[in-house]
Amino acid sequence: MKMKITGTGSALPRKVVTNTQLTEWMDTSDEWIRERTGIAERHLSTGETVASLAAEACRKALEQAGKTAEEVDMILLATCSPEYLLPCCACQVQQEIGAVNAVAFDINAACSGFLFGLTTANAYIQSGMYRNILIVGSEVLSKLMDWEDRSTCILFGDGAGAVLAEAVEDGESGLVDSVQRSDGSKGMVLSCRERMISNPLYKEAAERTNQESFYVQMDGQAVYRFATRQVPACIREVLEKTGLTVEDIDLFVLHQANVRIIEAVAKRLGADIGKFPMNLDRVGNMSSATIPVLLDELNREGRLHSGDRLVLSGFGAGLTYGSCILIW
Ligand code: UT7
């Protein structure tokens, strides 16, 4: 059995915020943001939630695949910004779309979450355990931002993307192979604190309140160095595993963090930058949602053809990273 993507969908909040609008909130400029990141605007939530965006993306993916919600066996939802610690967001989506027969749970691997979800779904499908799996990346990162930290908040946006993956007989198309890695030793270069320990025995909160931010903290240059070194190495590894070369690949669908990172990866691989589609100028970095939103855009624009060889690659907090090869 192989896993094949048969439907894609995405959902973005209604409100678009341009770089120029950000200058009303902080000391920055359109020029600085465009030059350093490639981002021109992003969608920010004015009430849309991780669950509501995810549900909309799932409905669209199901519609395109010609499947009903009742046919879904599993929902894997990647997010690092859920509304609730419990229930998990995947269960909220199950309820919203009526996927009554699905088992549902969340994955948190930050910007690699969708890719790790895809490989998890692949393992379930290859084992014969499930046939129809929704894999979703959904984020409302704007609530995790310190809007006074101009070096971080300008990067991120809100949104969701989903794919329906089905079990198909072994053949040309589907997920071919993958590589996944984690490096917890560098976890603190991109972090966001949850609540402190507080119980009748121990009051971490009382001791540490005001000493630690509950917003995203990032060492931007460390993340940049990590991504530009590890992502090309990881892509080379998965290519070698499958006996393919950089030239054999039609499109490299990378996590949309920063145009400079994507250009550096292309350069290190010796690949044509024209093979690296980008939408981050319009949507910013949406963490786990970037790859499925971009895939959905490419799919709906007719830019994915049967037999195309794609590399998907995610990287981010954890630190986590991974790549896989898909034949469309
Ligand atoms: O999913 C992964 C998510 N993370 C990433 O993708 C982060 C990767 N890192 C980066 O993309 C870059 O490190 C950033 C875009 C975040 C920052 O670019 P940088 O070239 O590393 O800038 P920097 O932090 O070294 O700051 C350079 C200057 C500083 O001013 P001084 O000290 O040189 O006077 C900052 O205060 O730019 C200033 N600065 C800004 N200026 C205008 C920082 N943020 C801004 C801003 N607008 N928004």
Side-chain angles (χ1 to χ4, degrees), residues 183-230:
D183 181 2
S185 72
K186 301 201 180 66
M188 287 304 125
V189 303
L190 180 48
S191 66
C192 185
R193 191 71 161 85
E194 238 299 338
R195 68 187 73 181
M196 302 287 187
I197 301 168
S198 177
N199 64 38
L201 302 172
Y202 190 79
K203 293 256 182 287
E204 191 180 14
E207 287 163 24
R208 298 177 65 174
T209 305
N210 298 327
Q211 288 177 26
E212 195 164 354
S213 167
F214 286 81
Y215 295 108
V216 167
Q217 307 280 299
M218 183 178 71
D219 177 345
Q221 291 184 0
V223 176
Y224 186 89
R225 282 194 301 274
F226 145 71
T228 52
R229 281 174 199 164
Q230 298 299 353

Side-chain angles (χ1 to χ4, degrees), residues 26-29 32-33 36-37 111 149-156 190 218-227 255-258 260-261 285 287 315-317:
M26 66 198 76
D27 180 17
T28 188
S29 67
W32 192 96
I33 300 173
R36 304 277 173 137
T37 72
C111 306
D149 176 4
R150 64 179 183 166
S151 65
T152 304
C153 67
I154 50 106
L155 296 172
F156 296 95
L190 180 48
M218 183 178 71
D219 177 345
Q221 291 184 0
V223 176
Y224 186 89
R225 282 194 301 274
F226 145 71
H255 167 51
Q256 301 285 293
N258 182 315
R260 291 191 303 151
I261 292 177
N285 179 345
S287 190
F315 51 93

Side-chain angles (χ1 to χ4, degrees), residues 15-33:
K15 180 72 181 163
V16 176
V17 176
T18 64
N19 292 342
T20 304
Q21 284 170 283
L22 290 183
T23 64
E24 293 166 21
W25 303 343
M26 66 198 76
D27 180 17
T28 188
S29 67
D30 180 46
E31 191 189 7
W32 192 96
I33 300 173

Side-chain angles (χ1 to χ4, degrees), residues 139-194:
E139 307 285 1
V140 176
L141 296 169
S142 54
K143 65 178 179 242
L144 302 183
M145 293 301 132
D146 175 353
W147 286 95
E148 293 186 353
D149 176 4
R150 64 179 183 166
S151 65
T152 304
C153 67
I154 50 106
L155 296 172
F156 296 95
D158 302 332
V163 301
L164 191 273
E166 289 185 44
V168 293
E169 296 306 319
D170 281 336
E172 264 294 289
S173 59
L175 192 143
V176 181
D177 214 331
S178 61
V179 167
Q180 299 178 100
R181 296 274 184 274
S182 299
D183 181 2
S185 72
K186 301 201 180 66
M188 287 304 125
V189 303
L190 180 48
S191 66
C192 185
R193 191 71 161 85
E194 238 299 338

Side-chain angles (χ1 to χ4, degrees), residues 42-219:
R42 72 286 292 142
H43 293 245
L44 297 184
S45 171
T46 51
E48 295 93 345
T49 64
V50 176
S52 69
L53 292 167
E56 190 183 333
C58 285
R59 283 194 202 96
K60 290 178 183 168
L62 285 173
E63 190 186 352
Q64 194 181 70
K67 291 274 175 204
T68 64
E70 290 81 3
E71 289 175 279
V72 176
D73 302 313
M74 170 174 257
I75 302 171
L76 294 174
L77 191 144
T79 186
C80 56
S81 55
E83 277 78 42
Y84 292 90
L85 286 178
L86 44 131
C88 67
C89 191
C91 284
Q92 292 178 274
V93 172
Q94 178 206 24
Q95 146 71 15
E96 267 201 50
I97 67 173
V100 289
N101 298 310
V103 61
F105 59 90
D106 290 358
I107 294 175
N108 179 356
C111 306
S112 307
F114 175 80
L115 192 102
F116 286 11
L118 209 60
T119 50
T120 305
N122 187 49
Y124 275 109
I125 282 176
Q126 282 193 329
S127 76
M129 204 163 163
Y130 297 120
R131 295 194 66 86
N132 297 311
I133 304 183
L134 275 169
I135 305 112
V136 199
S138 185
E139 307 285 1
V140 176
L141 296 169
S142 54
K143 65 178 179 242
L144 302 183
M145 293 301 132
D146 175 353
W147 286 95
E148 293 186 353
D149 176 4
R150 64 179 183 166
S151 65
T152 304
C153 67
I154 50 106
L155 296 172
F156 296 95
D158 302 332
V163 301
L164 191 273
E166 289 185 44
V168 293
E169 296 306 319
D170 281 336
E172 264 294 289
S173 59
L175 192 143
V176 181
D177 214 331
S178 61
V179 167
Q180 299 178 100
R181 296 274 184 274
S182 299
D183 181 2
S185 72
K186 301 201 180 66
M188 287 304 125
V189 303
L190 180 48
S191 66
C192 185
R193 191 71 161 85
E194 238 299 338
R195 68 187 73 181
M196 302 287 187
I197 301 168
S198 177
N199 64 38
L201 302 172
Y202 190 79
K203 293 256 182 287
E204 191 180 14
E207 287 163 24
R208 298 177 65 174
T209 305
N210 298 327
Q211 288 177 26
E212 195 164 354
S213 167
F214 286 81
Y215 295 108
V216 167
Q217 307 280 299
M218 183 178 71
D219 177 345

